[in-house]
Amino acid sequence: MRARFYRSAEGEALKQHERYGSPVVIHLDQVGDAEALVEAFRQRSGHTVPT
């Protein structure tokens, strides 16, 4: 069962990578105006940002 989960998760991660590209991590404590960055992301992507 465990091996099946890992293969499934790995396959899903590969599909997402092929569809969306590599993930990007932005540390908000290193951004001058984090709220403006988050708002721009929301407006342009249509996604929500977890808080």
Side-chain angles (χ1 to χ4, degrees):
M1 172 86 167
R2 191 174 192 168
R4 184 172 16 147
F5 170 76
Y6 286 124
R7 280 187 296 231
S8 172
E10 184 178 297
E12 188 59 34
L14 181 58
K15 283 193 292 186
Q16 287 186 9
H17 176 62
E18 290 172 349
R19 185 172 183 186
Y20 302 110
S22 297
V24 175
V25 177
I26 301 170
H27 296 275
L28 295 179
D29 61 341
Q30 297 177 353
V31 175
D33 190 352
E35 288 185 25
L37 177 65
V38 169
E39 185 57 32
F41 174 79
R42 283 187 185 130
Q43 289 176 0
R44 289 174 178 78
S45 72
H47 291 90
T48 59
V49 177
T51 55

